Amino acid sequence: MKIYREKDYDAMSRRAAQIIAGEITHNPACALGLATGSTPEGAYKYLVDWYKQGLVSFRDVLSVNLDEYVGLAPDHDQSYRYFMQSNLFDHVDILPENTRVPDGLTKDPEAFCAEYDAYIRSLGYVNLQLLGIGRNGHIGFNEPGDHFVKETHVVDLTESTIDANARFFASRDDVPRQAISMGMGAIMGAKKVLLCASGEDKADAICRSVSGPITPECPGSILQLHKNVVLVADEAALSKLIAAGVEV
Ligand code: F6R
């Protein structure tokens, strides 16, 4: 795993955006696996800026998002489709028909999940998968458990994830209890994984994912089995790894 040690959130965001822009420059028709949340917001801002300056174009890019809350409509301001539109898609030249986010309102989740996986397989998996990480080590919404789940699936969010995401909702009760998430098959199928983390509250998850045992109790640890992972993290997120003596 290649590790970039950045001084703060802004430097992490800039580095992550450079890697994504590099992927697009190298392969303008690439497939990007995208994430939502606080972590990639800054990177998306850089990409929008660079698009406006004519430095990068999404015209031929395909995107597939990791996850979506069950029960939220695309125009709900906390849905991940809404997040992607407002943070990236509405500001760049990506074609709407080339963007995919799981459908939180699907009437047939099983069929939907199977189709989502079939689509990702039809791409030959994504060229680059962007990931944040939960405090509990989740990637996508693959929560800690006793086995890794391969397929896209409906997941019951853990109390820790509901707590972490309550900051975006009017109250904790408004946080959806379920999400549709890409499984480990689609994530690990990516040709390259770009894992980003910022802040002290991610230090434990990063340390366990990078240097702990490979276990579904820390879903991010599966990335140790992937041959092409780039971790971009700030000092705070790397602090436990550094304290554990891992060279970064
Ligand atoms: C988001 C996602 C999640 C987040 C994780 C960290 O699409 O799949 O795994 O990456 O919950 O969230 P933030 O970045 O808000 O700390």
Side-chain angles (χ1 to χ4, degrees):
M1 185 179 300
K2 183 170 175 59
I3 303 179
Y4 287 92
R5 175 177 176 168
E6 304 295 342
K7 72 173 187 316
D8 55 17
Y9 178 79
D10 183 59
M12 175 209 71
S13 300
R14 190 178 165 82
R15 176 75 69 194
Q18 283 167 339
I19 294 169
I20 297 166
E23 186 69 39
I24 299 171
T25 302
H26 163 65
N27 178 6
C30 63
L32 298 178
L34 296 177
T36 57
S38 315
T39 309
E41 252 173 6
Y44 292 152
K45 281 202 180 81
Y46 273 107
L47 290 169
V48 169
D49 271 4
W50 297 340
Y51 164 72
K52 288 185 175 156
Q53 292 172 46
L55 301 172
V56 62
S57 166
F58 292 76
R59 201 182 43 243
D60 298 319
V61 168
L62 303 174
S63 75
V64 199
N65 262 77
L66 279 167
D67 40 23
E68 178 60 282
Y69 287 118
V70 169
L72 296 196
D75 59 355
H76 185 290
D77 67 0
Q78 289 309 324
S79 78
Y80 286 172
R81 164 56 78 174
Y82 187 94
F83 175 100
M84 289 311 301
Q85 293 299 139
S86 48
N87 283 279
L88 185 66
F89 299 157
D90 286 346
H91 310 289
V92 298
D93 59 348
I94 196 163
L95 299 176
E97 60 271 30
N98 286 348
T99 69
R100 281 185 172 65
V101 179
D103 177 5
L105 296 183
T106 179
K107 295 273 177 294
D108 187 347
E110 207 174 310
F112 178 84
C113 291
E115 273 166 36
Y116 209 69
D117 280 334
Y119 175 69
I120 295 166
R121 277 196 306 274
S122 77
L123 299 173
Y125 295 92
V126 299
N127 296 90
L128 182 148
Q129 176 65 56
L130 174 62
L131 294 177
I133 191 163
R135 293 180 209 163
N136 62 5
H138 72 216
I139 52 175
F141 272 137
N142 292 278
E143 297 282 35
D146 57 11
H147 60 285
F148 292 114
V149 180
K150 183 177 175 198
E151 286 85 17
T152 296
H153 58 291
V154 175
V155 57
D156 294 328
L157 301 180
T158 62
E159 294 301 312
S160 130
T161 298
I162 294 165
D163 286 344
N165 291 0
R167 68 192 194 278
F168 299 116
F169 290 83
S171 81
R172 191 181 186 280
D173 288 345
D174 293 332
V175 184
R177 272 23 188 187
Q178 288 188 314
I180 293 177
S181 178
M182 259 188 212
M184 294 304 194
I187 293 172
M188 294 297 281
K191 294 180 184 69
K192 179 184 291 151
V193 174
L194 172 56
L195 172 64
C196 296
S198 168
E200 187 80 49
D201 61 342
K202 300 295 174 68
D204 194 50
I206 286 296
C207 186
R208 293 172 68 207
S209 296
V210 174
S211 69
I214 298 168
T215 165
E217 285 160 24
C218 177
S221 65
I222 198 173
L223 298 172
Q224 293 177 43
L225 297 172
H226 195 289
K227 289 197 179 65
N228 196 358
V229 179
V230 176
L231 167 62
V232 179
D234 62 15
E235 298 276 350
L238 290 172
S239 56
K240 286 209 171 156
L241 206 54
I242 295 167
V246 176
E247 205 162 303
V248 298

